[in-house]
Amino acid sequence: MKINLANIKKAKKLLNKSECIAIPTETVYGLAGNAYSNSACKKIFKLKKRPKNNPLIVHYFSEKVLKRDCIYNYDFLKLYKKFCPGPITFILDLKKSSKISKIATNKKNSLAVRFPKHPITRNLLKKLDFPLAAPSANLSSKVSAVSSKDVVEDFGGKIKFVLEGGKSSIGIESTIIDLRNKPKILRLGGLEISTIQKVLKKKIRINNNSSKISFPGQSRLHYSPGIPVRLNVKKVKNEEAYVLIKKKKKIKSNYFFLTKNGNLKIAAKNLYSTLRKIKKKKYKSIAVCKIPNKGLGRTINDRLLRAAKF
Ligand code: TXA
Ligand code: MG
């Protein structure tokens, strides 16, 4: 992808003034601000209508820069070397000397950190003197944005600048792993658990006990397209939009296909844009076929289950 340096310059200028902008990442677009600045972090919460007790994820250029703010172990280094930059977020302990805004962390002593792979955002991060707090660039509890158009749809002119980066190549949020004690997955995401397991060579726990939710972002009512969603549907009603994993021979106008051939990575990439498309066509409800619960299919099912709680 060609990098427009004038755009990067503009982004840098705004971020230096503690303004918020949208940035592209390979997972989803982020609503970014200086993670060391209280005023920038306050703006992010306000724009997203995000509850104050839901801390912000922070984006770094490299592990070398992260050293200023976080303490980490050998498990982190193994995963970092293998998967970063990429779609994995680590929960780590904050250093006492860290300059991360207390607004961003909600005064907790842990931090969610990620190293995005998108070349435009990497170029920007390299040029900044601070890391970027950047939760997904959508209104709180709604479907994430995978293009600059999606961001503008949610925020209109309220965001000063959207750094254009095309459609997100993964299209679903990062996998979150808590590495402070025994590795534990807090959110399924764009990186498959089996690949993480192969590198760590130890058992990884998955936090799927929804009664013990510690952060709203892992709560049930999330990723909602704003209309009811039914799952594992074989018989669709005429007035419903029907989401299918792969193309069928018999096509009806209310059918929406995630892929041509059923590839789960492609299905994950197209999930949010398909839900947004359906909403725009003014359907009042969505029915989804059964999605295989393996690989990225697990992440898709996780998001759909939450969307169905609407
Ligand atoms: O792919 C992604 O992770 C995207 C891109 C923009 O990087 N970001 C993203 O941010 O999905 P957000 O804020 O929508 O989701 C981050 C999740 C939230 O559910 C939040 O509750 C959780 O991370 N989180 C943040 N800080 C945490 C912490 N210290 N401990 C546990 N969970 C944390
Ligand atoms: Mg989000």
Side-chain angles (χ1 to χ4, degrees):
M1 172 168 289
K2 217 172 160 252
I3 297 179
N4 179 328
L5 290 175
N7 279 348
I8 303 259
K9 209 170 155 188
K10 183 170 178 188
K12 186 179 166 190
K13 206 169 159 191
L14 287 164
L15 291 165
N16 278 335
K17 285 198 278 187
S18 285
E19 294 293 351
C20 293
I21 65 163
I23 56 165
T25 90
E26 72 283 13
T27 57
V28 298
Y29 273 65
L31 182 56
N34 178 352
Y36 293 156
S37 153
N38 285 336
S39 77
C41 293
K42 268 187 201 158
K43 281 179 195 161
I44 295 175
F45 278 96
K46 197 168 165 207
L47 276 167
K48 252 190 88 95
K49 301 201 174 91
R50 186 181 180 97
K52 287 201 176 72
N53 62 352
N54 191 4
L56 301 180
I57 168 176
V58 177
H59 299 65
Y60 286 86
F61 178 73
S62 68
E63 170 253 332
K64 228 171 148 179
V65 192
L66 174 75
K67 242 185 215 152
R68 291 187 213 143
D69 295 319
C70 287
I71 303 164
Y72 44 79
N73 54 23
Y74 191 49
D75 279 346
F76 167 81
L77 286 172
K78 277 202 273 192
L79 294 174
Y80 177 82
K81 276 189 192 131
K82 191 80 188 174
F83 300 120
C84 294
I88 181 165
T89 294
F90 307 95
I91 309 295
L92 302 171
D93 283 313
L94 262 181
K95 279 189 176 163
K96 283 225 165 67
S97 56
S98 152
K99 287 197 288 181
I100 296 288
S101 155
K102 298 261 187 303
I103 306 276
T105 58
N106 188 32
K107 300 196 184 100
K108 290 198 179 300
N109 51 17
S110 63
L111 190 67
V113 306
R114 186 162 110 71
F115 307 88
K117 191 171 187 166
H118 197 295
I120 291 177
T121 288
R122 266 186 81 67
N123 188 298
L124 172 65
L125 280 169
K126 199 172 179 189
K127 290 177 174 150
L128 296 172
D129 300 325
F130 45 82
L132 288 176
S136 54
N138 53 283
L139 293 173
S140 190
S141 90
K142 295 286 185 262
V143 168
S144 297
V146 294
S147 72
S148 58
K149 248 169 116 187
D150 293 346
V151 179
V152 173
E153 206 175 276
D154 279 15
F155 295 99
K158 285 187 189 146
I159 298 187
K160 293 254 154 80
F161 183 54
V162 182
L163 186 55
E164 179 58 60
K167 190 171 177 187
S168 296
S169 59
I170 294 176
I172 210 150
E173 299 85 350
S174 61
T175 302
I176 304 184
I177 185 164
D178 188 344
L179 291 177
R180 288 170 301 163
N181 295 300
K182 284 181 189 154
K184 183 159 98 185
I185 302 286
L186 299 188
R187 174 177 77 184
L188 301 180
L191 188 63
E192 286 176 36
I193 298 175
S194 58
T195 16
I196 298 179
Q197 198 129 28
K198 268 182 215 147
V199 173
L200 284 186
K201 295 195 183 81
K202 59 171 110 168
K203 200 165 164 48
I204 311 174
R205 291 174 300 157
I206 301 175
N207 191 18
N208 48 14
N209 183 350
S210 49
S211 64
K212 269 204 202 152
I213 290 159
S214 45
F215 293 93
Q218 275 103 49
S219 78
R220 282 187 179 164
L221 195 110
H222 217 74
Y223 311 104
S224 161
I227 49 177
V229 179
R230 297 197 299 136
L231 304 180
N232 301 322
V233 175
K234 280 188 190 145
K235 265 197 177 159
V236 66
K237 297 172 194 160
N238 278 337
E239 68 278 14
E240 280 179 320
Y242 194 21
V243 177
L244 291 140
I245 178 90
K246 67 176 169 190
K247 218 165 186 134
K248 271 196 165 183
K249 278 199 190 115
K250 249 177 93 186
I251 300 179
K252 289 190 184 169
S253 66
N254 61 332
Y255 284 14
F256 295 84
F257 304 103
L258 292 176
T259 74
K260 278 192 190 132
N261 56 10
N263 179 304
L264 290 167
K265 276 194 177 156
I266 298 173
K269 177 175 176 175
N270 291 329
L271 178 69
Y272 290 151
S273 44
T274 304
L275 294 179
R276 278 180 184 261
K277 200 195 284 173
I278 290 170
K279 182 92 193 292
K280 261 185 246 162
K281 293 203 170 195
K282 306 267 189 255
Y283 280 93
K284 293 279 185 298
S285 58
I286 303 176
V288 189
C289 74
K290 195 175 166 77
I291 310 275
N293 205 33
K294 57 175 191 206
L296 285 196
R298 284 180 74 177
T299 306
I300 297 174
N301 282 325
D302 170 78
R303 302 300 190 267
L304 286 173
L305 260 173
R306 293 165 201 259
K309 301 278 186 221
F310 169 76

